[in-house]
Amino acid sequence: QLQLVESGGGLVQPGGSLTLSCAASGIPFSIYDMNWYRQAPGKQRELVAAITSGGRTNYADSAKGRFTISRDNAKKTMYLQMNSLKAEDTAVYYCSAALGRRIWGQGTLVTVSS
């Protein structure tokens, strides 16, 4: 029943880069606003980046200048390019789609450690 599937997480050293992907199915992807959230142990889930159906983007202050959100409607996929990663970026990253109702992916773990 999963309609959003994240991939690309893993272990990366501080200062390194990762690109996360979110593949959508079963929804008209192009008309959905899309978001990346993350949740670290013991912390609340927070919005990292957002991209509307029209392509407008917004970022959390912690991500601004380091992360880039994008989408490819032909591939029904959203991406999060993460550069200059810090230990504080360690979290489970979740893909979310919103059009009135909200759909969540299962999450992918990003661990930033030396």
Side-chain angles (χ1 to χ4, degrees), residues 29-32 53 71-77:
F29 178 80
S30 64
I31 68 172
Y32 272 74
S53 61
R71 64 192 298 163
D72 186 332
N73 288 340
K75 296 181 178 180
K76 295 186 177 182
T77 303

Side-chain angles (χ1 to χ4, degrees), residues 12-79:
V12 63
Q13 294 184 349
S17 299
L18 278 177
T19 299
L20 306 182
S21 298
C22 172
S25 63
I27 62 172
F29 178 80
S30 64
I31 68 172
Y32 272 74
D33 294 335
M34 301 294 296
N35 307 281
W36 285 103
Y37 285 78
R38 69 185 181 188
Q39 187 167 25
K43 296 185 179 296
Q44 63 185 9
R45 189 171 299 185
E46 64 176 350
L47 179 67
V48 178
I51 184 166
T52 69
S53 61
R56 294 183 179 180
T57 60
N58 286 289
Y59 300 90
D61 288 340
S62 60
K64 195 172 300 181
R66 299 188 298 126
F67 294 3
T68 302
I69 188 171
S70 62
R71 64 192 298 163
D72 186 332
N73 288 340
K75 296 181 178 180
K76 295 186 177 182
T77 303
M78 177 181 65
Y79 305 94

